[in-house]
Amino acid sequence: MMAKKVLVVGGVAAGASAAARLRRLDEDAEIIMFEKGPYISFANCGLPYYVGGVITERNNLLLQTPRDMKRRFNIDVRVMNEVTQIIPAEKKVEVCNRMTDESYRETYDYLILAPGAEPLIPPLPGIDKTNVFIVRNVPDSDAIKNYIMTENPRTAVVIGGGFIGLEMAEMLMDAGLKVSLLEMAPQVMRALDPEMADILHSYLKFNGLDLRLSSQATAFEGEDRVMAIRLADGSLIPSDLVVLGLGVKPAAGLAKEAGLKIGSTGAIWVDEYLRTSDPFIYAGGDAVQVKDFITGEDSYVPLAGPANRQGWLIANNICGRSLPYKGAQGSAILKFRNMTIAATGKNEYELNRAGIKYLTCHIHPNSHATYYPGATQMTAKLLFTPDNGKILGAQIVGSDGVDKRIDVLATAIRAGMNVFDLQELELAYAPPYSSAKDPVNMLAYVAGNMLNGDIEVTYWTDVAQEVSRGAFLIDARTPEEFKYGAVEGATNIPVDEIRNRLAEIPKDRDILVYCQVGLRSYITTRILKQNNFKVKNISGGYKLYEVIRK
């Protein structure tokens, strides 16, 4: 049997993963990788940290080189070679060597498309000035780093509050610049629900970031360089340096021109085996449309983890192993200074849009046992179905231990677990690492109490309306805590006094209870419920209220 010839377009996450896996499965295949830039297999996600000096050695970003790929995997890697046309009927591609400007053609048995994504660059006046940068590859990060070193900018504006935007803001602040961040939406990190994003907003401002939410740039003013950014309200923000972090769009142009099917998201359509509409052409990574693991809807998830997985699967499928891609759930994590922000699965906006019914709960557990030094508090949110408690999504904002918990919850979603399954998880415990009841277990206990009818929950977004309709609001904290800050209109009845003060609580009104983080109000709620009061526990407690009201 004649050895197959496989061409790979794109040499970063999905492309490099596919090529390396293909060689491990088929020693005889002829594999040629085309990369239009000067580098392959570089660490996109590390680029901001190189700009900020956290990663000091540039070469650490280069995970593989063409020479390495040739020596270890016998792969013909051609950098600065751009595939400009696909001719499916002839099973050929046209390639332009950008170093010589010469064009040539290559035949294939199978073609793998992994061209990645392109940065979103709005057509605003002045956006092409010399001190406006993007962050998509190593040369981009080189340009920003060199500009900082040679021009000594004092102010910077980052446009976009997603992963790249927040990471670049942190790195520019660490480099000594005064940084403003513009975000068109009323919150950063759209994977988070608003109340969880508010925790991050407070932290960003506390750390000195000039955060401008619901703000839109309309022009970049200056001569050769941007001197200031004009906003939609007419105001100006001075800036010596601008970084665009507005997100990405799939690089689907090559596939579209070849007549391949494009999905509803604008990305390349693939089936569950990552085949395009041409059975001899596969595609993966930031250029493709996939199914959402939870809703089954078409989705676009440009993340490194799914891209690497898709490349690995493509190689398996070309070699006849027939492994489907089961969908993406959008697990993601971000660091800003000492805060970690993580999410997996769906948020409320996405569930509402998909018409999926859900419940939510919040807790504020510590990273490990409080009697062991160094414990920090996190805020965790779980979203689950109201019938059987199937887990739909989770979000955590905190410091230590966030990554550990979000990974457990992401695994639980992938396994189709419900909240009662989470209660049963036996997770590793020692005082430096966790508590005997891990935060994941605690989320599950709270959710289980809701499903079992042990407690009824309400949310701060609904409390004012419920009080206006006559609900009686109880603060179950100590008098000292109450004195230093409480919700207007609340009556302070500490949990330890509740049984002796039942006569003060009206039985003809709805009762709403809160404490600092939710535990004491839960105990109060159980006491009142068993004394025939109609009572609800306010999810997230006063700690969440303090964040939301700011």
Side-chain angles (χ1 to χ4, degrees), residues 28 74 82 85 131 159 201 214 245 249 265 280 285 304 334 363-364 406 474 489:
D28 298 322
N74 192 25
E82 181 178 3
Q85 185 183 8
N131 59 341
I159 302 180
H201 296 159
S214 302
K249 60 182 178 181
T265 64
F280 299 101
L334 171 77
I363 63 171
H364 306 281
I406 205 69
I474 295 177

Side-chain angles (χ1 to χ4, degrees), residues 306-474:
N308 276 278
R309 172 71 177 165
Q310 289 157 22
W312 186 88
L313 286 170
I314 287 170
N316 280 273
N317 291 329
I318 286 175
C319 291
R321 297 199 173 191
S322 298
L323 297 175
Y325 183 67
K326 297 180 180 179
Q329 65 193 70
S331 300
I333 192 164
L334 171 77
K335 170 191 170 295
F336 190 98
R337 297 277 170 90
N338 292 323
M339 177 172 277
T340 301
I341 308 98
T344 187
K346 312 309 288 180
N347 60 24
E348 291 198 46
Y349 171 79
E350 293 165 333
L351 291 172
N352 287 328
R353 187 182 62 184
I356 297 175
K357 293 182 179 180
Y358 63 92
L359 294 172
T360 72
C361 65
H362 304 80
I363 63 171
H364 306 281
N366 287 290
S367 56
H368 60 256
T370 54
Y371 57 82
Y372 187 90
T376 58
Q377 197 170 57
M378 64 183 79
T379 297
K381 178 177 184 175
L382 191 68
L383 300 95
F384 52 97
T385 59
D387 49 2
N388 62 1
K390 184 177 180 180
I391 305 159
L392 300 171
Q395 300 158 39
I396 311 177
V397 178
S399 182
D400 295 339
V402 170
D403 54 342
K404 170 182 174 179
R405 276 68 188 213
I406 205 69
D407 281 345
V408 172
L409 292 165
T411 303
I413 290 174
R414 183 63 55 161
M417 297 173 71
N418 63 28
V419 299
F420 302 107
D421 296 322
L422 281 189
Q423 292 177 1
E424 297 293 331
L425 290 184
E426 184 177 327
L427 302 172
Y429 161 64
Y433 301 106
S434 185
S435 299
K437 291 180 182 177
D438 189 86
V440 171
N441 300 129
M442 291 306 301
L443 271 172
Y445 285 128
V446 173
N449 286 338
M450 294 169 62
L451 294 176
N452 289 332
D454 293 333
I455 58 169
E456 187 175 351
V457 169
T458 191
Y459 306 94
W460 286 115
T461 50
D462 302 320
V463 167
Q465 186 176 16
E466 293 192 49
V467 170
S468 70
R469 291 200 297 255
F472 185 74
L473 186 60
I474 295 177

Side-chain angles (χ1 to χ4, degrees), residues 86 88 252-262 276-278 281:
I86 304 169
L254 189 65
K256 186 175 182 180
E257 290 169 7
L260 299 180
K261 182 178 178 181
I262 303 300
T276 68
S277 52
D278 184 309
I281 303 177

